[in-house]
Amino acid sequence: GAGVSQTPSNKVTEKGKYVELRCDPISGHTALYWYRQSLGQGPEFLIYFQGTGAADDSGLPNDRFFAVRPEGSVSTLKIQRTERGDSAVYLCASSYTADSSYNEQFFGPGTRLTVL
Amino acid sequence: RKEVEQDPGPFNVPEGATVAFNCTYSNSASQSFFWYRQDCRKEPKLLMSVYSSGNEDGRFTAQLNRASQYISLLIRDSKLSDSATYLCVVNMYGSGGYNKLIFGAGTRLAVHP
C-alpha cells in the first residue's frame, strides 16, 4: 500500500517568508509525528498528533512553528517568518497507534527546506 | 550531554567484514529501543527492534544492556548494500503516554569491494 507522502519534496524560500509543508500519513494511522533533521544529525522530534489534537508540541523550537491536523489525517506544518537556521529536512512519520512501546513509526521521504 | 550518543564514524570496511556499532543513552526511563537505517538523502527505516534478551535477524544482531544503558548492533558478512547511516533510537514511551523517539546522530558505514 501507499506509504507516508510529503509535499513538496523541496522548498526554497527567502528569509522572512511563510511556508507550509504537507504530510499524508498511511491510511488508518491515528498517530502522526513531525521531526526535523539537520545535516549530520538524527531526526529531532517536533510535535505529535493523536487524531486531530496535538498531544505534545514540546519539540517546536519557537512560536513561529505551528502544525495542524484538522480531520485527523493530513497534517500541515507551518513556519512563519522563516530564518536561515530553519533550513533542514522536515520528516513526517505515522504509526497505527501510539499505545504500545514497539509500534513502528513509518517515515515519509521528507521536505528539504532551504531558507536563503 | 546528548540523550543518545553514537560514534559518528565513518566505518570503512571491506565486504565480508564484521562491524559493531555502539550506542549509549542517558535516560534510564527509556522504554524501548531500535536501530533505524538511513540511506543518503532518504528517510529512516526501521532495521530492527532491540530487546533485553538480545535478538538476531539474519546477519544482524542487536543487544541491550539496561544496567549500562548501552545498545549495540553487530553486522556480520557485510555487503555493499549495507552502506548507510545507522541510527540508534530510544523510545521515551510512558513519560508522555506515547511513542516519543529520540535519535542518535547516526553512525555512517561504508562497505567497499
Side-chain angles (χ1 to χ4, degrees), chain B residues 21 84 113:
Chain B
F21 303 141

Side-chain angles (χ1 to χ4, degrees), chain A residues 10-57:
Chain A
N10 282 283
K11 176 70 177 178
V12 180
T13 191
E14 294 180 343
K15 181 175 177 295
K17 298 291 188 183
Y18 168 83
V19 296
E20 289 190 353
L21 313 179
R22 176 188 167 107
C23 171
D24 272 281
I26 293 172
S27 178
H29 280 194
T30 61
L32 184 146
Y33 309 80
W34 282 98
Y35 294 83
R36 178 169 71 173
Q37 187 171 23
S38 301
L39 193 64
Q41 300 299 315
E44 177 188 19
F45 169 82
L46 295 178
I47 186 169
Y48 156 66
F49 287 91
Q50 180 56 49
T52 60
D56 184 347
D57 63 358

Side-chain angles (χ1 to χ4, degrees), chain B residues 11-74:
Chain B
F11 284 57
N12 293 299
V13 303
E15 277 186 288
T18 295
V19 61
F21 303 141
N22 303 318
C23 168
T24 57
Y25 61 96
S26 60
N27 195 324
S28 60
S30 302
Q31 296 292 311
S32 53
F33 309 88
F34 308 91
W35 285 99
Y36 273 70
R37 171 191 167 131
Q38 187 170 28
D39 293 295
C40 189
R41 298 180 79 88
K42 298 288 188 182
E43 70 272 24
K45 292 184 178 178
L46 179 65
L47 177 66
M48 59 196 302
S49 303
V50 188
Y51 302 105
S52 296
S53 55
N55 48 298
E56 187 174 310
D57 183 2
R59 298 181 294 108
F60 299 83
T61 300
Q63 295 206 311
L64 166 66
N65 183 323
R66 283 189 183 268
S68 303
Q69 296 180 197
Y70 171 92
I71 306 161
S72 66
L73 177 68
L74 184 76

